[in-house]
Amino acid sequence: MSGNAVGTPPAEVHIDTEIVRSLLRAQFPQYATRQLQPMGSGWDNAMMRLGTDLLVRLPRRAIAAVLIEEEQRWLPELSPQLPINVPVPIHVGRPSKEYPWPWSIVRWLPGEGADRSPPDADEGCRLASFLSCLHQAAPTGARVNPVRGVPLATRADQVGERMDRVAQTTDVITPAVRAAWHDALAAAANTERLWLHGDLHPLNILVSRGRITGVIDWGDLTAGDVATDLAAFWMLFDSPIRERALTAYGPVDDHLRARAMGWAILFGVMLLDTGLVDHPRHAAVGAAILRRLTQNYGP
């Protein structure tokens, strides 16, 4: 087994309220006097709430600047067909001498991550409707993401390494998880190029009072295998709720089902492995995903 787990990538640029306030004054002065409230950051972006109804989203790494440009390019086109709110950029910020990359102002979406505020049972079918609307043929200009929507075989070595590593310190890599991963790798590969979110784990699904209020963080938007997104049904719902949702989504054959479970395992071990380094919430989400898979392995 090779090296140690790597945690949250460090920021490549300093972002604070003073920098954001300066960007607003220069580019969107109508918002310059609004309250700014830091909302934390993920691997790729820092977020600041702007007043009560807006959010500023700024890449914290150069690679994320490419991803936010994908959101800016495609979300305005995709959002009208989607039955759940998404953070469509309403203003696109420009680089400046103080900040080197494009950035966005989006609508504030209420709710908490589904890991902290689980969706009600009937929300499975709402999520299925959302994914059915999203999973349409992507145009030739759609970005191909090298790590999402791809054949699972391309991720096998990395996932296997992560599984072995977290198995040394946790009890969540059970025989059922390993069997599901084996089945996922054995399933027939996908050949369609359909739109997918690409990062649809519980932290990116907002829920308020049991209802899904938004799907956020579209930086991994890509064309590829929709099993990457269908994994969310295994991450969020137990059977039979999951089965009703899959029926509502549409035909899901055994190969697609196996790949979706494989993607759920990939997300689970990635969040757990990296989260154990420096992000307890990610670790808790990853462990919960893998425990749910153990309880629900099979049809």
Side-chain angles (χ1 to χ4, degrees):
M1 183 172 57
S2 59
N4 297 325
V6 176
T8 305
E12 297 170 7
V13 65
H14 177 69
I15 300 171
D16 61 18
T17 56
E18 290 305 312
I19 288 174
V20 176
R21 182 80 63 197
S22 177
L23 290 169
L24 291 171
R25 281 196 298 262
Q27 300 184 37
F28 304 104
Q30 66 269 39
Y31 303 128
T33 61
R34 285 194 175 199
Q35 181 180 3
L36 279 171
Q37 179 185 357
M39 302 301 296
S41 61
W43 274 38
D44 294 325
N45 297 282
M47 281 77 67
M48 289 197 188
R49 192 168 183 177
L50 178 62
T52 59
D53 60 337
L54 299 174
L55 182 78
V56 184
R57 184 166 162 81
L58 306 104
R60 58 192 291 276
R61 304 192 293 152
I63 191 173
V66 177
L67 304 183
I68 207 165
E69 289 178 323
E70 292 297 306
E71 296 178 355
Q72 293 166 346
R73 166 67 180 88
W74 295 110
L75 279 185
E77 285 191 24
L78 292 172
S79 62
Q81 69 197 40
L82 302 176
I84 296 173
N85 286 330
V86 300
V88 180
I90 59 173
H91 298 293
V92 174
R94 304 181 305 276
S96 75
K97 64 179 182 180
E98 298 167 297
Y99 180 78
W101 303 309
W103 50 284
S104 297
I105 299 177
V106 304
R107 295 289 181 193
W108 171 262
L109 298 180
E112 287 192 285
D115 60 313
R116 292 177 171 170
S117 181
D120 290 343
D122 57 0
E123 291 299 283
C125 289
R126 275 192 74 228
L127 182 60
S129 175
F130 173 87
L131 291 178
S132 294
C133 293
L134 173 63
H135 292 166
Q136 303 299 318
T140 54
R143 173 176 179 258
V144 175
N145 188 317
V147 294
R148 303 292 163 86
V150 296
L152 282 168
T154 66
R155 307 294 306 276
D157 290 345
Q158 183 187 61
V159 173
E161 179 183 322
R162 291 189 189 278
M163 289 174 69
D164 290 343
R165 184 160 49 231
V166 299
Q168 295 179 358
T169 56
T170 76
D171 62 356
V172 295
I173 306 300
T174 63
V177 167
R178 291 191 182 276
W181 180 242
H182 178 272
D183 289 349
L185 293 176
N190 166 74
T191 58
E192 293 183 294
R193 290 186 74 258
L194 304 182
W195 275 124
L196 57 138
H197 177 280
D199 201 28
L200 202 61
H201 56 70
L203 291 150
N204 289 335
I205 298 172
L206 299 180
V207 180
S208 178
R209 298 182 180 180
R211 185 169 177 82
I212 297 175
T213 55
V215 176
I216 62 172
D217 199 351
W218 288 76
D220 282 313
L221 176 70
T222 188
D225 185 5
V226 298
T228 310
D229 285 354
L230 296 187
F233 292 122
W234 276 266
M235 292 189 269
L236 293 173
F237 302 107
D238 293 327
S239 182
I241 298 167
R242 182 190 69 241
E243 295 307 313
R244 290 199 297 268
L246 289 169
T247 298
Y249 173 82
V252 177
D253 64 24
D254 289 344
H255 296 286
L256 178 53
R257 176 185 291 268
R259 295 196 309 272
M261 293 180 70
W263 277 100
I265 291 168
L266 184 152
F267 282 115
V269 298
M270 177 181 67
L271 288 165
L272 178 55
D273 187 38
T274 60
L276 286 171
V277 176
D278 62 2
H279 204 307
R281 184 180 179 189
H282 285 184
V285 172
I289 290 170
L290 295 168
R291 289 192 180 99
R292 188 186 293 275
L293 280 160
T294 291
Q295 294 164 2
N296 290 274
Y297 181 58

